[in-house]
Amino acid sequence: MFPTILAIESSCDDTSVAVLHNGKVLSNRVAGQAVHEQYGGVVPELASRAHQQNILPVADIALQEAGIKPENLDAIAFTGGPGLMGSLLVGTGFAKGLALALNKPLIAVDHMEAHVMAHFIDDPQPEFPFLCLVVSGGHTQLVYMPEPGVQEIIGKTRDDAAGEAFDKTAKLLGLPYPGGPLIDRYAANGDPHRFRFSTARLEGLDFSFSGLKTAILYFLQENLASQPDFIRENMPDICASVQHTIIHYLMERTREALRHKADVKSIGIAGGVSANSALRKALKELGEKIKLPVFIPDFQYCTDNAGMIAITAQYKYLRGEFTDSAFKPYTRQH
Ligand code: KG4
Ligand code: ZN
């Protein structure tokens, strides 16, 4: 029997609550926070305050939409980390209070593990071993999943995340936060080969994006010195070229990972950047070329959402992995 779970995600700037019942996500509500747009990035203090305002109404709507009464829940799940401490504390505190009031068990879920688990919400599901490229605003990593419940990080970024590369580029271009989706949109009408940027070639399977960020900064400064309207006149080509560089780099590292893990039976992407249309296309092309099935989550399960927390919690519940009420959230990946 599958448990009925209410899950909360509040690690960064989205407040999300999902209800899972009989192995299906019945509701997955997300309240975004427009308050950060003007600052070019998430302001932690404003994020936790907005979570506090949003969490109860979002939980209420999620339960109503699912048609589940609080007393019929089997467990309360929440994101334990990594993320912003203030934001995590709001979700953790809410989950603990609800669990105590309803006398239900608590399940803390790791946010990064949950991004990969988004692939196990709907059918068809990846075959094992599964290789998943996780690309979000805070992390970039290659995860090897030999069997259910086991995730090994075999490569990760040494500095910026792929999402940060998108967001920081967008900021240099004068676009609001989060810039990833806007770069994706402009890039659709641009030439990806017009401008060239180099990326770091590291030993092993790690990534580095900080050099790219600096290269883009110098490139823009140089061109703006002679052409003050350079950005405005070339926005689609700049976006398409930067996007192409990032994706080419991500795919090259993924291919390298496949050379290290020859037994992989399926590949996928997860995390906010997996909403990127060119990345989705590039992964499909890679899958066709190397003859491996490709898994790309539904848009609602790419960016931060409680659906992925709920599915991860379901498997933890079935394994009997519950969390003590003294649990403290963590900001960095374990
Ligand atoms: O997973 P996520 O929602 O939050 C974190 O855990 O960080 O990822 C957010 C990141 C942001 O950097 C955002 O710009 C990026 O995902 N993102 C995109 C797209 N949609 C979201 N990047 C590129 N293209 C997109 N379409
Ligand atoms: Zn995330």
Side-chain angles (χ1 to χ4, degrees):
M1 253 304 274
F2 286 127
T4 303
I5 292 174
L6 178 120
I8 297 153
E9 152 62 34
S10 72
S11 64
C12 190
D13 60 337
D14 290 314
T15 318
S16 180
V17 180
V19 177
L20 185 82
H21 174 69
N22 262 340
K24 296 259 166 291
V25 173
L26 298 185
S27 61
N28 180 42
R29 286 293 182 142
V30 185
Q33 300 184 359
V35 64
H36 308 289
E37 267 173 32
Q38 56 185 311
Y39 298 103
V42 176
V43 184
E45 188 50 39
L46 296 178
S48 45
R49 239 183 274 167
H51 281 305
Q52 256 161 354
Q53 281 167 358
N54 292 339
I55 198 153
L56 187 59
V58 176
D60 218 15
I61 292 171
L63 280 165
Q64 272 179 39
E65 189 183 346
I68 298 285
K69 292 202 177 76
E71 58 268 29
N72 294 332
L73 293 168
D74 294 309
I76 313 294
F78 63 99
T79 303
L84 300 169
M85 184 47 86
S87 295
L88 290 165
L89 279 169
V90 177
T92 306
F94 185 82
K96 285 182 183 177
L98 197 60
L100 192 67
L102 297 169
N103 195 24
K104 308 285 177 185
L106 273 174
I107 302 174
V109 169
D110 183 86
H111 182 87
M112 298 313 295
E113 187 185 337
H115 268 305
V116 177
M117 289 303 292
H119 287 286
F120 299 89
I121 295 176
D122 291 326
D123 290 334
Q125 299 186 358
E127 236 188 287
F128 297 102
F130 174 48
L131 180 75
C132 189
L133 170 71
V134 190
V135 271
S136 74
H139 297 84
T140 295
Q141 52 200 34
L142 282 157
V143 176
Y144 175 71
M145 211 175 161
E147 57 187 86
V150 182
Q151 293 193 15
E152 290 169 27
I153 299 168
I154 56 170
K156 60 175 185 295
T157 185
R158 296 193 181 168
D159 39 61
D160 290 354
E164 254 175 307
F166 273 100
D167 296 337
K168 287 180 177 171
T169 301
K171 197 173 177 182
L172 293 173
L173 296 173
L175 300 172
Y177 178 86
L182 292 168
I183 293 193
D184 192 354
R185 225 174 297 153
Y186 277 111
N189 303 312
D191 174 2
H193 302 290
R194 168 104 183 270
F195 306 113
R196 286 190 183 276
F197 304 99
S198 55
T199 42
R201 289 277 171 274
L202 302 180
E203 286 282 310
L205 298 171
D206 281 352
F207 301 82
S208 169
F209 285 98
S210 65
L212 175 65
K213 178 182 63 187
T214 315
I216 295 166
L217 174 68
Y218 290 154
F219 161 82
L220 291 175
Q221 280 175 347
E222 251 169 55
N223 284 287
L224 286 167
S226 54
Q227 267 176 275
D229 281 339
F230 179 75
I231 292 179
R232 205 169 46 80
E233 284 169 3
N234 296 286
M235 192 66 110
D237 288 352
I238 301 171
C239 289
S241 299
V242 169
Q243 179 173 282
H244 174 77
T245 305
I246 296 172
I247 289 165
H248 186 78
Y249 186 45
L250 293 173
M251 289 298 101
E252 181 272 319
R253 298 273 81 185
T254 305
R255 295 192 74 152
E256 186 63 23
L258 289 165
R259 280 190 276 274
H260 279 68
K261 298 283 186 190
D263 60 350
V264 165
K265 289 220 174 63
S266 59
I267 54 173
I269 44 175
V273 182
S274 60
N276 184 273
S277 54
L279 177 59
R280 296 167 88 90
K281 188 160 162 261
L283 192 80
K284 280 185 199 145
E285 284 168 4
L286 175 62
E288 275 163 27
K289 206 164 175 180
I290 61 174
K291 307 218 167 5
L292 280 183
V294 162
F295 292 86
I296 298 172
D298 210 51
F299 278 110
Q300 64 166 325
Y301 300 128
C302 286
T303 45
D304 290 348
N305 67 89
M308 68 186 194
I309 304 300
I311 194 76
T312 313
Q314 171 184 284
Y315 288 106
K316 291 189 97 168
Y317 184 102
L318 295 173
R319 292 194 297 266
E321 295 173 21
F322 297 101
T323 302
D324 191 83
S325 61
F327 176 89
K328 288 192 188 75
Y330 50 95
T331 55
R332 295 180 161 274
Q333 193 165 25
H334 286 327

